[in-house]
Amino acid sequence: MKTVLSGIRSTGHLHLGNYFGALRNFVQLQHQAKCYFFVADLHSLTTHPKPDDYLSGVKTILSEYLASGLDPEKSTLYVQSSVPQVCELYVLLNMLTYKGELERTASFKDKVRLNPDNVNAGLLTYPVLMAADILIHRANWVPVGKDQEQHLEITRMLARRFNKLYGAEVFPEPEAYNFGGHLVRIPGLDGSGKMGKSENNGIYLVDDQKTITKKVMRAVTDTGPVNPNDPMSPGVANLFTLLGVVSEPEVVAYFREQYDKCTIRYGDLKKQLAADICKHTLPIKERIEEIYNNGPYLKYVIEKGTEEARTSARATMELVRDAVGFKTF
Ligand code: TYM
């Protein structure tokens, strides 16, 4: 049986990118694989959030996981910082990772560009902590969006390096996974690159119908196609990408044809897009608040998951410590 693992940082609410990039794959995979899904609270510390906001942040993400269909009886749900073996493995993997390799990662370069005053070592070694998250359960598949592809390459490199250096087959080489066959990048509604928590361009699982419709209707487009052979403007291309993810193929084909004939009305496309997004998210939204307010249930889910995650992590660390040569007197 395959082992599957993924995580989402504990900042803000989950958006369509998190859902279609990572979470939805899990909801399907949990029936056929051993699944671990965690709240990446340690990764969130790179931006120094306030301690008072911590618990509500973790509860928010956990409630949104559960409302999306993660079943705690099938999947193991836990908070990253409550499995200390992750940090132990992180230290060991740091010894195998070179500064130049980390400085070259696209995510690090982006973060440095966006926050030049907070280039801390945690940011530099972010992919090593991520590798520790994955390797601690010896995962085979990691459902993530396209933005995490390079981090998976680093994880594979570290798995190979560890196995080779210590002459032991401790870690499998994990693959990034999307059940559609290719990793997705959900675009923002502002005509720019990806939808993101810090980009303020997202649609969230907690948004109501009115909010979603308003956001979609305001999305960036252009004055309309003149020659279908001209390249599509980025805003319109983004709307088609979103439509491809949330709508039926016939709906996408219909609007594509209208576009090619230069008769498309972007208002109609947006109305359809908003309605199709709502079909996916509104049933989830309905469950979020109820779960968030059910303290005993959240406590049960997290205690059960923590125990399972620690058991698996302890077993891996026994192999790791043995391979590294840590022996007791
Ligand atoms: P985070 O919180 O930035 O994103 C969580 C997941 O959502 C995906 N995602 C997207 N997918 C498609 N389109 C988008 N616009 C989009 N935005 C976000 C991300 O690819 C990710 O799968 N480092 C991770 C958290 C993490 C992790 C791990 C993931 C920590 N350790 C181990 C997998 C395995 C992150 O940045 O999450």
Side-chain angles (χ1 to χ4, degrees):
M1 190 190 261
K2 296 285 182 196
T3 299
V4 182
L5 168 137
S6 202
I8 298 184
R9 278 173 297 145
S10 55
T11 29
H13 290 284
L14 300 187
H15 53 66
L16 290 186
N18 301 137
Y19 182 70
F20 288 107
L23 199 44
R24 192 175 60 153
N25 293 288
F26 249 87
V27 174
Q28 308 209 342
L29 282 169
Q30 64 185 347
H31 303 288
Q32 63 192 72
K34 175 65 211 146
C35 286
Y36 295 88
F37 210 88
F38 67 95
V39 182
D41 59 342
L42 293 172
H43 276 108
S44 298
L45 295 181
T46 54
T47 55
H48 311 149
K50 291 196 200 80
D52 285 348
D53 298 336
Y54 174 82
L55 193 59
S56 65
V58 170
K59 273 175 68 185
T60 297
I61 299 290
L62 187 63
S63 311
E64 295 180 10
Y65 283 175
L66 292 162
S68 298
L70 287 191
D71 178 352
E73 304 305 328
K74 295 203 165 78
S75 299
T76 295
L77 304 179
Y78 64 100
V79 179
Q80 185 186 30
S81 65
S82 59
V83 180
Q85 290 85 354
V86 170
C87 292
E88 189 182 355
L89 184 56
Y90 168 59
V91 172
L92 298 176
L93 295 176
N94 267 323
M95 309 305 169
L96 307 183
T97 321
Y98 295 92
K99 181 170 149 273
E101 290 169 336
L102 295 172
E103 282 169 341
R104 280 195 294 277
T105 54
S107 57
F108 179 68
K109 287 193 207 155
D110 278 354
K111 294 273 156 63
V112 172
R113 195 167 37 80
L114 294 172
N115 293 302
D117 299 331
N118 183 27
V119 185
N120 58 58
L123 209 55
L124 182 68
T125 57
Y126 187 106
V128 186
L129 181 54
M130 204 168 140
D133 291 326
I134 298 168
L135 298 179
I136 200 74
H137 300 300
R138 287 170 277 162
N140 307 103
W141 289 342
V142 187
V144 282
K146 185 115 184 100
D147 58 314
Q148 301 295 320
E149 207 168 21
Q150 199 178 20
H151 292 162
L152 261 292
E153 268 167 37
I154 295 176
T155 305
R156 280 194 291 276
M157 177 187 82
L158 290 177
R160 278 195 300 273
R161 216 172 260 175
F162 183 97
N163 290 346
K164 184 155 181 260
L165 180 67
Y166 295 113
E169 279 300 307
V170 176
F171 299 122
E173 288 189 35
E175 285 167 44
Y177 178 93
N178 189 291
F179 72 88
H182 59 276
L183 302 186
V184 297
R185 175 182 280 114
I186 303 294
L189 296 168
D190 52 359
S192 65
K194 69 162 193 163
M195 186 175 287
K197 282 178 192 152
S198 27
E199 282 81 353
N200 202 16
N201 62 2
I203 291 184
Y204 296 90
L205 299 182
V206 284
D207 284 346
D208 60 22
Q209 185 168 13
K210 206 166 139 207
T211 309
I212 292 174
T213 310
K214 208 157 111 194
K215 285 181 177 177
V216 174
M217 295 314 280
R218 274 208 222 119
V220 173
T221 53
D222 54 30
T223 51
V226 182
N227 178 350
N229 294 324
D230 289 345
M232 223 181 234
S233 67
V236 176
N238 285 354
L239 292 183
F240 271 101
T241 303
L242 278 170
L243 204 67
V245 173
V246 297
S247 305
E248 297 298 331
E250 318 70 88
V251 172
V252 184
Y254 169 78
F255 284 106
R256 185 66 222 203
E257 195 190 329
Q258 296 291 311
Y259 181 89
D260 289 342
K261 289 201 276 187
C262 300
T263 51
I264 190 163
R265 286 162 35 158
Y266 291 138
D268 292 347
L269 182 151
K270 286 176 170 179
K271 268 190 217 143
Q272 178 77 47
L273 178 60
D276 289 344
I277 290 174
C278 287
K279 268 191 216 153
H280 288 274
T281 62
L282 294 188
I284 298 175
K285 176 190 163 40
E286 268 179 31
R287 294 190 287 266
I288 293 175
E289 203 180 336
E290 190 191 324
I291 295 176
Y292 185 91
N293 290 320
N294 191 344
Y297 178 60
L298 290 177
K299 190 168 160 20
Y300 161 76
V301 168
I302 223 58
E303 282 179 358
K304 177 175 183 291
T306 304
E307 199 41 54
E308 289 167 8
R310 284 184 184 162
T311 304
S312 154
R314 269 196 297 268
T316 300
M317 283 315 291
E318 265 181 38
L319 300 176
V320 168
R321 289 178 139 261
D322 189 56
V324 172
F326 293 160
K327 304 273 193 283
T328 45
F329 290 112

